[in-house]
Amino acid sequence: DQQVKQNSPSLSVQEGRISILNCDYTNSMFDYFLWYKKYPAEGPTFLISISSIKDKNEDGRFTVFLNKSAKHLSLHIVPSQPGDSAVYFCAASVWSGANNLFFGTGTRLTVIP
Amino acid sequence: DTAVSQTPKYLVTQMGNDKSIKCEQNLGHDTMYWYKQDSKKFLKIMFSYNNKELIINETVPNRFSPKSPDKAHLNLHINSLELGDSAVYFCASSQDTAGSQPQHFGDGTRLSIL
């Protein structure tokens, strides 16, 4: 039973344009959300996070938006760069829990030069 | 300077064998985890230890036994390996158990059962 879903397995974007990666969750107990980036043969690397008390968090070219009522979050990358090509995982947790992260299945982003 | 390191990177073995994967973190974190990524790329937690104490034990067969000799190490021993155990196993660590603490991952161990 997957509580975090990324329905787009892949996304291709031209360099310089915006990349939008989407994520949906079903468990209303989740109150902290994270995005991880993964290159082949490496482990996931933390990218950006957002607490449920916010609806937006920005860090450089990366912005995460949270819509609690829709149980939806998105990661915006602008401008996209070829080095951003990787698999992006959305994850969710309960702030006061045991830091048990629930991951989506990932979206493979390809930025075309 | 690797933060979370796991060995070996690749492990190929026969069904029925027993094997171990080692994990070490040099970040001074209190909490460590084991995840399994299956063939569908679904990353799912198996175990979590905080200060050497088990705090998460998801529905994992008894053949899997984690051991934490100290805060910096969390090893995974697997008995009687089965074909379905073939996967990539990731070790991770975080400052503590708060859900807001990002987890830092190792590069994974790809286990292949023949």
Side-chain angles (χ1 to χ4, degrees):
Chain A
D1 178 29
Q2 219 173 316
Q3 301 183 56
V4 178
K5 298 178 183 179
Q6 295 175 255
N7 293 320
S8 298
S10 63
L11 174 69
S12 291
V13 170
Q14 289 284 343
E15 180 179 3
R17 306 294 290 267
I18 185 171
S19 296
I20 300 176
L21 296 96
N22 294 304
C23 176
D24 297 293
Y25 61 96
T26 57
N27 189 339
S28 56
M29 295 294 292
F30 290 146
D31 53 10
Y32 206 80
F33 305 89
L34 308 93
W35 284 93
Y36 283 80
K37 176 179 178 179
K38 185 182 181 303
Y39 292 117
E42 294 184 9
T45 303
F46 170 70
L47 193 57
I48 191 169
S49 61
I50 188 167
S51 160
S52 61
I53 62 173
K54 295 185 175 181
D55 54 18
K56 175 182 173 182
N57 188 27
E58 192 171 349
D59 183 2
R61 297 185 297 114
F62 303 90
T63 303
V64 56
F65 295 92
L66 175 63
N67 181 336
K68 280 176 54 181
S69 59
K71 293 192 178 69
H72 176 84
L73 62 155
S74 60
L75 175 68
H76 292 211
I77 307 173
V78 57
S80 300
Q81 299 174 354
D84 296 330
S85 296
V87 177
Y88 289 78
F89 289 95
C90 170
S93 69
V94 177
W95 183 290
S96 59
N99 206 359
N100 183 358
L101 279 182
F102 292 84
F103 281 88
T105 49
T107 297
R108 180 177 300 278
L109 173 66
T110 302
V111 180
I112 303 163
Chain B
D1 192 20
T2 306
V4 181
S5 59
Q6 47 184 116
T7 55
K9 195 168 180 66
Y10 299 96
L11 188 51
V12 181
T13 189
Q14 301 273 1
M15 208 164 50
N17 284 351
D18 303 339
K19 289 293 177 186
S20 292
I21 307 172
K22 294 187 176 182
C23 179
E24 176 182 3
Q25 54 96 3
N26 63 7
L27 297 166
H29 287 168
D30 286 345
T31 310
M32 296 186 71
Y33 313 81
W34 276 108
Y35 285 85
K36 178 181 180 181
Q37 186 180 36
D38 61 23
S39 57
K40 295 181 181 177
K41 306 301 181 188
F42 186 46
L43 198 63
K44 187 172 181 184
I45 194 165
M46 301 172 68
F47 300 102
S48 170
Y49 271 71
N50 185 57
N51 282 321
K52 302 192 301 174
E53 298 294 324
L54 179 67
I55 55 170
I56 295 175
N57 182 355
E58 291 298 305
T59 309
V60 177
N62 290 339
R63 299 181 295 103
F64 290 79
S65 54
K67 283 192 171 48
S68 182
D70 54 59
K71 269 181 18 174
H73 296 84
L74 180 62
N75 303 322
L76 183 65
H77 187 76
I78 315 170
N79 289 327
S80 304
L81 281 158
E82 300 177 356
L83 289 175
D85 298 332
S86 294
V88 182
Y89 292 84
F90 288 98
C91 177
S93 73
S94 65
Q95 186 66 55
D96 53 42
T97 59
S100 59
Q101 289 294 330
Q103 295 181 19
H104 300 254
F105 285 79
D107 286 342
T109 296
R110 182 173 293 277
L111 174 62
S112 299
I113 309 302
L114 304 177

